[in-house]
Amino acid sequence: PNGNDKNAGNLQTPFLSIEKALSVTRQYALKNVVINLREGTYYLEKTIAIEKVSMLAKTLQITSYKNEKVFISAARRLRVEWKPYKNGIFQATIPENISFERLYINGKLQVLARYPNYDSSARVFHGTAADAISPEKIARWKNPVGGYVHALHDGEWGGFHYRITGVDDNHNLQLEGGWQNNRPSTMHKEFRFVENIFEELDTVNEWWLDKKNRILYYYPPEGMNLSNTLIEVSNLKNTIELLGSVENPVVNVELKNLSFVHNERTFMDTKEPLLRSDWTIYRGGAVLLERTENCKITDCSFVGLGGNAIMFSDHNKHDTVSGCLIEHIGANAVCFVGNPKAVRSPLFSYEKSISYDQLDKAAGPLNNDYPQECAVVDNLFHNLGEIEKQATGVEIEMSSSITVMHNSIYNTPRAGINIGDGCWGGHVLAYNDVFNTVLETGDHGAFNSWGRDRYWNANRHYMDSLVEVHPELLLLDAQKQNVIHDNRFRCDHGWDIDLDDGSTNYHIYNNVCLNGGLKLREGFYRIVENNILINNSFHPHVWFKNSHDVFEHNIVTKKYFPIEIKDWGDNVDDNLFFDSLALMDAQKNGTDKNSIAGNAMFVDPQTGNYSMKPNSPALAIGFHNFNTDNFGVQKTELKKIAMHAPIPVLLEELNSSGKSTIVSFLGGKIKSVDGLGERSAYGLPSEAGVIVISAGENNVLRKSGLMDKDVIVNADGAAIKDVKSLMDIYQSSNWKGKIEIEVFRNQQVIRLILFFK
């Protein structure tokens, strides 16, 4: 950063800019070239483009010199003079032709003026309010044009973002946007907030930019000396782009040990629909790879970005992301998104379909313009989707044979890993630790997938008749089997593994599911075997006739939760249930003839060691032990700081320990009603129910309206006998996000909505 582009570009007399160093690489055709960056922050005026036409080196590595700390900043540094405005707010004039939506003071991201104010403890968007765009509030704003409205999808399937373009005579906003989700709906009536409106600048750390008059307003914390602050403002959306073509890709480029910071937000650019998944996408990120081969992103960090970290767009082959830290970013960590022109008979809306006679019936892709045989290995991704809620750790769309292995992924608004379609399979997900997912949305899983391949039709009657007559259609897109093995998943607000709408051709084995169970919605050729489903079970939903699904040699700790299942695939059998009633319930459906019930005899479930002791009955029905403690990132520096999936208390052990056992639940403490004494003390009509020992403070139980000494007697329409029966309902219904409950309080029944997050 202290060099000079007129220098020789060596250790003694270095260049100033990365761009200059790249221009010099043309002198080294067919050589192995390394660009070493000395420590410090490099502020880029424009995105760095590494194009095949100018990339003559055999290999190119851009790296930090001897592991010095190097920051590649997508921001500008501002030097301004502050003066008081009023009410603790200061103002400064900024240079011409500068516009930004992210302000950093002394390296810390500040809050763009918003309503309601930022609340770090709030579950959705760090604070929402139903009256965020009420006419009464809008009437207070002098000129909200350029402000934003952010909201969840009405079904909580991700989020929407709108730019304010005007206000009508009735104080209603005129908006553009809402294209960030491929399943259109109205915005959520409660989960919404507004920002970038001057009148909402009313608390410490908030700011607002008057673009027309070039005035920056900021409300500093008390005691801050603004004259000595480092001020940085976002400038670029993409930092480095590797740009080739299918015929002539960029090859053998490595970005190593670099820190990417300060990228601008991109939520208004997230508008390209991705086939018939629920997604739209912005094909950009701090690093964009478009038509590359054998490229690497190694030991890099991506921190505090406004959008995606890494985007693989169109053709990319044999590329890898390894040893990277991605945290506190606005959208996705890593995306693989192919070109729709590679898809046969592509459709982009869930409701659209193509008649059989119009379908392209050739198997596989049309061309080579999609990611294939790439890998995301040994990384730590957390606190993702802080702005965009249809976001994930690894997104795979229109791609083939992507490996996702030994990653720790947590604190995400939706899935930790998402496969958006059936094109073209061959993906391997293994040894990942994925948890604290679906934190701000609903109806999803720690792992989620969709199929909705070319033959798909939303009309179920038509689908039933089509696939019965033409089963050859099923694997035209889902050519290669997806394999999900030896992962640990936990989702407290949905399913641990969620195969949705037509997800086809999967082999799922040796996974530990810690809370949400495993769901197979309609699809074909899924083999699920040798998995451990803690405190939950198998959720088969609306299967097709002749699905050829298999569920065998698994350990389930609850009864199955089928929805509209008439046909049970090729084999559902040889499973271990924790109680005989659950087994009998399954056998009533004609499944599990050879399954058994009993204690799995885990070695040490309190620590997450779910290996079986030698005399476990599970081993007698074909279950095979596997290592249940080899999940997540392995790189030493990242493993030291990575969180691990929380290990739940085995509910069966709680039940056997007696009704007086106190259980943690949604941030509070509960126990079963135990005996006549407690029935009398709480004025109950019977010795049934669950007592709220402590509703806690500022948690889900308290926010749902529950109080200490309440007794839950009914949930989701079913009578509650004890903690076990409440947990059964919670585990089967937590994907809904909420249920109705009846509470006995002061000898009166009160009806409440119990939220699960």
Side-chain angles (χ1 to χ4, degrees), residues 715-737:
D716 209 20
I720 297 301
K721 179 182 177 182
D722 49 23
V723 167
K724 180 181 183 300
S725 62
L726 177 61
M727 288 299 185
D728 284 344
I729 292 173
Y730 165 66
Q731 297 290 18
S732 64
S733 301
N734 64 16
W735 62 273
K736 301 176 184 177

mmCIF file of all heavy atoms in Angstrom, residues 715-737:
data_model
loop_
_atom_site.group_PDB
_atom_site.id
_atom_site.type_symbol
_atom_site.label_atom_id
_atom_site.label_comp_id
_atom_site.label_asym_id
_atom_site.label_seq_id
_atom_site.Cartn_x
_atom_site.Cartn_y
_atom_site.Cartn_z
ATOM 1 N N ALA A 715 -51.814 -28.478 23.069
ATOM 2 C CA ALA A 715 -50.922 -27.914 22.060
ATOM 3 C C ALA A 715 -51.283 -28.472 20.694
ATOM 4 O O ALA A 715 -51.413 -29.690 20.525
ATOM 5 C CB ALA A 715 -49.464 -28.214 22.384
ATOM 6 N N ASP A 716 -51.484 -27.579 19.762
ATOM 7 C CA ASP A 716 -51.801 -27.965 18.385
ATOM 8 C C ASP A 716 -53.000 -28.909 18.329
ATOM 9 O O ASP A 716 -53.049 -29.844 17.528
ATOM 10 C CB ASP A 716 -50.582 -28.614 17.728
ATOM 11 C CG ASP A 716 -50.551 -28.398 16.213
ATOM 12 O OD1 ASP A 716 -51.214 -27.463 15.727
ATOM 13 O OD2 ASP A 716 -49.857 -29.165 15.519
ATOM 14 N N GLY A 717 -53.968 -28.674 19.227
ATOM 15 C CA GLY A 717 -55.200 -29.444 19.227
ATOM 16 C C GLY A 717 -55.149 -30.746 19.988
ATOM 17 O O GLY A 717 -56.146 -31.488 20.023
ATOM 18 N N ALA A 718 -54.007 -31.049 20.630
ATOM 19 C CA ALA A 718 -53.882 -32.317 21.355
ATOM 20 C C ALA A 718 -53.669 -32.052 22.842
ATOM 21 O O ALA A 718 -52.976 -31.110 23.228
ATOM 22 C CB ALA A 718 -52.712 -33.129 20.803
ATOM 23 N N ALA A 719 -54.263 -32.901 23.676
ATOM 24 C CA ALA A 719 -54.085 -32.773 25.119
ATOM 25 C C ALA A 719 -52.640 -33.086 25.495
ATOM 26 O O ALA A 719 -52.020 -33.992 24.930
ATOM 27 C CB ALA A 719 -55.032 -33.721 25.848
ATOM 28 N N ILE A 720 -52.097 -32.315 26.437
ATOM 29 C CA ILE A 720 -50.719 -32.496 26.885
ATOM 30 C C ILE A 720 -50.733 -33.229 28.218
ATOM 31 O O ILE A 720 -51.246 -32.723 29.220
ATOM 32 C CB ILE A 720 -50.002 -31.141 27.022
ATOM 33 C CG1 ILE A 720 -49.926 -30.454 25.662
ATOM 34 C CG2 ILE A 720 -48.617 -31.329 27.614
ATOM 35 C CD1 ILE A 720 -49.198 -31.250 24.605
ATOM 36 N N LYS A 721 -50.147 -34.415 28.204
ATOM 37 C CA LYS A 721 -50.079 -35.227 29.414
ATOM 38 C C LYS A 721 -48.848 -34.878 30.250
ATOM 39 O O LYS A 721 -48.924 -34.744 31.471
ATOM 40 C CB LYS A 721 -50.057 -36.707 29.039
ATOM 41 C CG LYS A 721 -49.962 -37.643 30.237
ATOM 42 C CD LYS A 721 -49.893 -39.094 29.758
ATOM 43 C CE LYS A 721 -49.733 -40.048 30.933
ATOM 44 N NZ LYS A 721 -49.611 -41.459 30.483
ATOM 45 N N ASP A 722 -47.695 -34.734 29.556
ATOM 46 C CA ASP A 722 -46.436 -34.506 30.257
ATOM 47 C C ASP A 722 -45.439 -33.903 29.272
ATOM 48 O O ASP A 722 -45.779 -33.589 28.119
ATOM 49 C CB ASP A 722 -45.899 -35.813 30.843
ATOM 50 C CG ASP A 722 -45.877 -36.947 29.829
ATOM 51 O OD1 ASP A 722 -45.850 -36.666 28.602
ATOM 52 O OD2 ASP A 722 -45.881 -38.118 30.239
ATOM 53 N N VAL A 723 -44.186 -33.757 29.725
ATOM 54 C CA VAL A 723 -43.148 -33.173 28.870
ATOM 55 C C VAL A 723 -42.965 -33.988 27.596
ATOM 56 O O VAL A 723 -42.783 -33.431 26.512
ATOM 57 C CB VAL A 723 -41.814 -33.066 29.644
ATOM 58 C CG1 VAL A 723 -40.666 -32.767 28.688
ATOM 59 C CG2 VAL A 723 -41.894 -31.979 30.700
ATOM 60 N N LYS A 724 -43.039 -35.299 27.696
ATOM 61 C CA LYS A 724 -42.868 -36.143 26.515
ATOM 62 C C LYS A 724 -43.905 -35.822 25.452
ATOM 63 O O LYS A 724 -43.578 -35.682 24.266
ATOM 64 C CB LYS A 724 -42.938 -37.615 26.894
ATOM 65 C CG LYS A 724 -42.765 -38.566 25.710
ATOM 66 C CD LYS A 724 -42.872 -40.017 26.137
ATOM 67 C CE LYS A 724 -42.622 -40.952 24.960
ATOM 68 N NZ LYS A 724 -43.604 -40.755 23.859
ATOM 69 N N SER A 725 -45.169 -35.717 25.843
ATOM 70 C CA SER A 725 -46.203 -35.452 24.844
ATOM 71 C C SER A 725 -46.054 -34.064 24.248
ATOM 72 O O SER A 725 -46.315 -33.852 23.055
ATOM 73 C CB SER A 725 -47.594 -35.636 25.456
ATOM 74 O OG SER A 725 -47.811 -34.720 26.519
ATOM 75 N N LEU A 726 -45.609 -33.083 25.050
ATOM 76 C CA LEU A 726 -45.362 -31.750 24.504
ATOM 77 C C LEU A 726 -44.207 -31.784 23.512
ATOM 78 O O LEU A 726 -44.281 -31.173 22.431
ATOM 79 C CB LEU A 726 -45.056 -30.765 25.632
ATOM 80 C CG LEU A 726 -44.704 -29.334 25.189
ATOM 81 C CD1 LEU A 726 -45.857 -28.690 24.431
ATOM 82 C CD2 LEU A 726 -44.303 -28.479 26.387
ATOM 83 N N MET A 727 -43.153 -32.507 23.849
ATOM 84 C CA MET A 727 -42.005 -32.592 22.956
ATOM 85 C C MET A 727 -42.355 -33.323 21.666
ATOM 86 O O MET A 727 -41.841 -32.984 20.591
ATOM 87 C CB MET A 727 -40.840 -33.298 23.660
ATOM 88 C CG MET A 727 -40.183 -32.453 24.732
ATOM 89 S SD MET A 727 -39.487 -30.925 24.069
ATOM 90 C CE MET A 727 -38.690 -30.266 25.523
ATOM 91 N N ASP A 728 -43.218 -34.318 21.741
ATOM 92 C CA ASP A 728 -43.654 -35.009 20.525
ATOM 93 C C ASP A 728 -44.315 -34.027 19.563
ATOM 94 O O ASP A 728 -44.046 -34.040 18.349
ATOM 95 C CB ASP A 728 -44.626 -36.137 20.872
ATOM 96 C CG ASP A 728 -43.924 -37.357 21.455
ATOM 97 O OD1 ASP A 728 -42.697 -37.458 21.306
ATOM 98 O OD2 ASP A 728 -44.613 -38.196 22.059
ATOM 99 N N ILE A 729 -45.177 -33.197 20.093
ATOM 100 C CA ILE A 729 -45.866 -32.221 19.244
ATOM 101 C C ILE A 729 -44.881 -31.180 18.725
ATOM 102 O O ILE A 729 -44.902 -30.802 17.548
ATOM 103 C CB ILE A 729 -47.016 -31.555 20.012
ATOM 104 C CG1 ILE A 729 -48.116 -32.586 20.271
ATOM 105 C CG2 ILE A 729 -47.562 -30.339 19.276
ATOM 106 C CD1 ILE A 729 -49.232 -32.106 21.158
ATOM 107 N N TYR A 730 -43.990 -30.721 19.598
ATOM 108 C CA TYR A 730 -42.986 -29.741 19.179
ATOM 109 C C TYR A 730 -42.128 -30.297 18.045
ATOM 110 O O TYR A 730 -41.897 -29.619 17.035
ATOM 111 C CB TYR A 730 -42.114 -29.362 20.376
ATOM 112 C CG TYR A 730 -40.833 -28.650 20.009
ATOM 113 C CD1 TYR A 730 -40.859 -27.377 19.437
ATOM 114 C CD2 TYR A 730 -39.593 -29.241 20.238
ATOM 115 C CE1 TYR A 730 -39.684 -26.723 19.095
ATOM 116 C CE2 TYR A 730 -38.416 -28.597 19.908
ATOM 117 C CZ TYR A 730 -38.463 -27.346 19.338
ATOM 118 O OH TYR A 730 -37.305 -26.706 18.997
ATOM 119 N N GLN A 731 -41.664 -31.525 18.158
ATOM 120 C CA GLN A 731 -40.785 -32.086 17.141
ATOM 121 C C GLN A 731 -41.513 -32.338 15.828
ATOM 122 O O GLN A 731 -40.915 -32.237 14.761
ATOM 123 C CB GLN A 731 -40.159 -33.398 17.641
ATOM 124 C CG GLN A 731 -39.261 -33.246 18.854
ATOM 125 C CD GLN A 731 -37.964 -32.522 18.545
ATOM 126 O OE1 GLN A 731 -37.845 -31.846 17.552
ATOM 127 N NE2 GLN A 731 -36.993 -32.645 19.423
ATOM 128 N N SER A 732 -42.796 -32.637 15.894
ATOM 129 C CA SER A 732 -43.532 -32.887 14.657
ATOM 130 C C SER A 732 -44.030 -31.610 14.006
ATOM 131 O O SER A 732 -44.330 -31.590 12.809
ATOM 132 C CB SER A 732 -44.728 -33.814 14.933
ATOM 133 O OG SER A 732 -45.662 -33.189 15.795
ATOM 134 N N SER A 733 -44.090 -30.512 14.767
ATOM 135 C CA SER A 733 -44.699 -29.281 14.241
ATOM 136 C C SER A 733 -43.776 -28.081 14.225
ATOM 137 O O SER A 733 -44.195 -26.995 13.826
ATOM 138 C CB SER A 733 -45.943 -28.930 15.081
ATOM 139 O OG SER A 733 -46.901 -29.963 15.054
ATOM 140 N N ASN A 734 -42.501 -28.241 14.640
ATOM 141 C CA ASN A 734 -41.670 -27.040 14.742
ATOM 142 C C ASN A 734 -41.389 -26.389 13.399
ATOM 143 O O ASN A 734 -41.075 -25.209 13.331
ATOM 144 C CB ASN A 734 -40.361 -27.324 15.507
ATOM 145 C CG ASN A 734 -39.454 -28.306 14.803
ATOM 146 O OD1 ASN A 734 -39.601 -28.592 13.622
ATOM 147 N ND2 ASN A 734 -38.505 -28.848 15.548
ATOM 148 N N TRP A 735 -41.548 -27.142 12.299
ATOM 149 C CA TRP A 735 -41.355 -26.553 10.978
ATOM 150 C C TRP A 735 -42.406 -25.491 10.676
ATOM 151 O O TRP A 735 -42.202 -24.614 9.829
ATOM 152 C CB TRP A 735 -41.409 -27.647 9.915
ATOM 153 C CG TRP A 735 -42.727 -28.367 9.842
ATOM 154 C CD1 TRP A 735 -43.099 -29.439 10.580
ATOM 155 C CD2 TRP A 735 -43.834 -28.058 8.998
ATOM 156 N NE1 TRP A 735 -44.374 -29.833 10.260
ATOM 157 C CE2 TRP A 735 -44.844 -29.000 9.282
ATOM 158 C CE3 TRP A 735 -44.065 -27.092 8.023
ATOM 159 C CZ2 TRP A 735 -46.066 -28.993 8.633
ATOM 160 C CZ3 TRP A 735 -45.287 -27.079 7.367
ATOM 161 C CH2 TRP A 735 -46.269 -28.016 7.668
ATOM 162 N N LYS A 736 -43.543 -25.548 11.372
ATOM 163 C CA LYS A 736 -44.595 -24.550 11.155
ATOM 164 C C LYS A 736 -44.220 -23.186 11.728
ATOM 165 O O LYS A 736 -44.802 -22.169 11.347
ATOM 166 C CB LYS A 736 -45.903 -25.000 11.814
ATOM 167 C CG LYS A 736 -46.446 -26.322 11.311
ATOM 168 C CD LYS A 736 -47.696 -26.719 12.113
ATOM 169 C CE LYS A 736 -48.228 -28.076 11.718
ATOM 170 N NZ LYS A 736 -49.392 -28.482 12.545
ATOM 171 N N GLY A 737 -43.293 -23.178 12.668
ATOM 172 C CA GLY A 737 -42.875 -21.925 13.277
ATOM 173 C C GLY A 737 -43.690 -21.518 14.484
ATOM 174 O O GLY A 737 -43.230 -20.751 15.324
#
